[in-house]
């Protein structure tokens, strides 16, 4: 495997051009609020341990899933019919903690507790490059809207990588806090990180400077995600809450309570109106505008560890400690 070693450089900043191929949202589309009546469509079996991570391709035709410590495997599925497309065996030497697929649909990136990041060609599922430089578990990945920059969050800080030239760009912060989760804003200008102390930090990606930081939760921040309009940052935590923050003022907009234990994962439907959160007590579906709980999806027999909405907004995928992946949505009426 080809590997790239990271030189010791501190981030000097770069400029990401906003992606023009933004997701077009039709306000009154049939997908809106359909998850109030979502049903289990498929159960995908194949993992031999906890499903740690999930990611959809931009065209919603491929679902990638990452396996646990005993596997280090990536499986690829057709979410429309529940059939398996391919396996990437021995993708990592430990758990596949996070998966992202670049918006241009070319590259699948995976990161692991084995301290590495691997890149895969999504057209043929072949290995293309390994990024090394982190000295601890890499827990989160985010990719810029223009598909040019990959950002990794680990227990030793945040690093940036050039996806096109497949080389390291630099280090944003080291050993500052143990980074558990990352998200890039829809315009590609802002990075949010969540750490082990419940702190969220917001960074400018054009300058590399810290814009703001605040204690968001009383326990680990397990996930952060921007709303499609980029105005709100949603965070989830082991303190059992999900919180909505005004990204411009840093003010807390709303706290969603209802989970009886850690909230492991969150996902936002591309319609910007529906939020899903997952934990020990299944998947809760919320109206993002009102904060109302509109559905609870119970199908996993153990903790739900990963969730993802398809880019077309029609289905929700969930993975659990029960080794299963479940596909949720509204059954299509057959003519």
């Amino acid at each position: 495997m080809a590997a790239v070693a990271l030189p010791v450089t501190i981030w000097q900043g770069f400029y990401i051009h906003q992606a023009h191929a933004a997701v077009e949202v039709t306000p009154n589309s049939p997908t809106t609020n359909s998850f109030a009546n979502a049903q289990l469509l498929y159960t995908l079996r194949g993992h031999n341990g906890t499903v740690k991570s999930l990611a959809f391709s931009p065209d919603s035709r491929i679902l990638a899933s990452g396996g646990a410590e005993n596997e280090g495997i990536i499986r690829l599925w057709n979410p429309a019919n529940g059939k398996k497309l391919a396996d990437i065996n021995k993708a990592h030497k430990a758990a596949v903690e996070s998966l992202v697929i670049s918006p241009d649909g070319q590259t699948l990136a995976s990161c692991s507790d084995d301290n590495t990041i691997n890149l895969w060609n999504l057209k043929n599922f072949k290995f293309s490059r390994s990024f090394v430089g982190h000295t601890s578990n890499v827990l989160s990945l985010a990719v810029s809207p223009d598909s040019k920059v990959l950002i990794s969050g680990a227990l030793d800080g945040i690093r940036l990588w050039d996806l096109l030239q497949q080389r390291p760009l630099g280090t944003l912060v080291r050993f500052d806090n143990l980074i558990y989760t990352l998200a890039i804003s829809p315009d590609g200008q802002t990075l949010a990180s969540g750490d082990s102390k419940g702190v969220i930090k917001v960074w400018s990606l054009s300058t590399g400077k810290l814009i703001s930081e605040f204690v968001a939760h009383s326990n680990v921040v397990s996930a952060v995600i921007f709303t499609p309009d980029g105005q709100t940052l949603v965070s989830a935590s082991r303190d059992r809450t999900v919180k909505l923050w005004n990204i411009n003022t840093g003010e807390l907009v709303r706290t969603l309570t209802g989970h009886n234990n850690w909230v492991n994962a969150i996902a936002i439907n591309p319609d910007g109106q529906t939020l899903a959160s997952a934990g020990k007590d299944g998947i809760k579906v919320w109206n993002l505008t009102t904060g109302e709980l509109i559905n609870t999806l119970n199908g996993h027999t153990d903790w739900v560890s990963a969730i993802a909405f398809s880019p077309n907004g029609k289905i929700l995928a969930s993975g659990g400690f029960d080794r299963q992946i479940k596909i949720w949505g509204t059954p299509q009426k057959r003519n």
Side-chain angles (χ1 to χ4, degrees):
M1 284 189 178
V4 176
L6 183 73
V8 181
T9 54
I10 298 299
W11 181 235
Q12 296 300 315
F14 65 92
Y15 182 77
I16 297 177
H17 294 286
Q18 185 168 352
H20 294 295
V23 177
E24 291 187 18
V25 178
T26 310
N28 298 316
S29 67
T31 60
T32 303
N33 294 329
S34 63
F35 286 89
N37 304 305
Q39 298 174 31
L40 179 61
L41 302 180
Y42 301 105
T43 296
L44 314 182
R45 294 178 176 89
H47 282 285
N48 297 317
T50 297
V51 180
K52 302 280 285 188
S53 47
L54 293 168
F56 279 95
S57 60
D59 62 7
S60 302
R61 292 182 178 179
I62 299 172
L63 174 66
S65 59
E69 288 76 5
N70 62 333
E71 285 191 313
I73 197 169
I74 297 171
R75 300 189 188 278
L76 299 127
W77 313 83
N78 179 342
N81 60 18
K83 299 276 196 311
K84 191 161 70 172
L85 297 170
D87 288 330
I88 302 176
N89 293 305
K90 298 181 180 175
H92 285 278
K93 295 174 183 173
V96 182
E97 290 286 353
S98 182
L99 293 167
V100 291
I101 294 176
S102 57
D104 63 11
Q106 300 294 311
T107 306
L108 168 68
S110 59
C111 67
S112 171
D113 293 338
D114 66 11
N115 306 355
T116 67
I117 300 157
N118 288 334
L119 304 183
W120 313 88
N121 183 324
L122 201 62
K123 302 303 178 196
N124 57 18
F125 309 136
K126 296 277 196 267
F127 171 81
S128 59
R129 178 69 74 182
S130 187
F131 286 151
V132 297
H134 282 293
T135 58
S136 190
N137 306 41
V138 189
L139 300 181
S140 185
L141 295 173
V143 62
S144 62
D146 61 10
S147 301
K148 292 180 179 177
V149 177
L150 180 72
I151 303 182
S152 54
L155 299 185
D156 69 348
I158 301 170
R159 292 173 184 260
L160 301 100
W161 314 84
D162 184 325
L163 265 189
L164 299 186
Q165 298 184 33
Q166 299 193 341
R167 64 182 180 86
L169 281 170
T171 302
L172 188 64
V173 63
R174 316 162 192 265
F175 294 105
D176 185 46
N177 285 310
L178 310 182
I179 304 298
Y180 273 67
T181 180
L182 293 173
I184 296 178
S185 60
D187 66 3
Q189 299 304 300
T190 308
L191 175 75
S193 66
D195 68 22
S196 61
K197 299 176 183 174
V199 174
I200 288 176
K201 294 188 176 183
V202 181
W203 313 81
S204 164
L205 283 178
S206 57
T207 65
K209 290 191 166 55
L210 184 66
I211 299 171
S212 63
E213 65 177 295
F214 50 95
V215 179
H217 293 276
S218 59
N219 204 326
V220 169
V221 182
S222 52
V224 288
I225 187 171
F226 284 90
T227 52
D229 63 8
Q231 298 302 301
T232 304
L233 181 71
V234 183
S235 61
S237 171
R238 292 181 183 177
D239 69 6
R240 308 183 180 192
T241 67
V242 176
K243 294 184 178 182
L244 280 63
W245 308 89
N246 181 314
I247 197 66
N248 298 311
T249 66
E251 293 176 2
L252 178 63
V253 178
R254 181 177 286 115
T255 301
L256 306 179
T257 56
H259 281 285
N260 64 15
N261 213 307
W262 294 2
V263 184
N264 288 332
I266 48 177
I268 295 176
N269 191 291
D271 68 10
Q273 298 181 30
T274 309
L275 170 77
S277 57
K280 186 178 183 180
D281 50 356
I283 303 160
K284 297 189 181 295
V285 183
W286 312 82
N287 180 313
L288 205 48
T289 307
T290 65
E292 176 191 7
L293 179 65
I294 57 176
N295 201 353
T296 299
L297 305 176
N298 294 309
H300 288 279
T301 57
D302 206 334
W303 290 70
V304 182
S305 42
I307 49 174
F309 276 108
S310 59
N312 64 13
K314 292 182 178 177
I315 57 175
L316 174 71
S318 60
F321 284 27
D322 60 5
R323 309 178 183 183
Q324 297 179 1
I325 298 164
K326 295 190 181 289
I327 304 292
W328 309 86
T330 305
Q332 299 300 309
K333 292 187 176 71
R334 299 191 184 279
N335 296 326

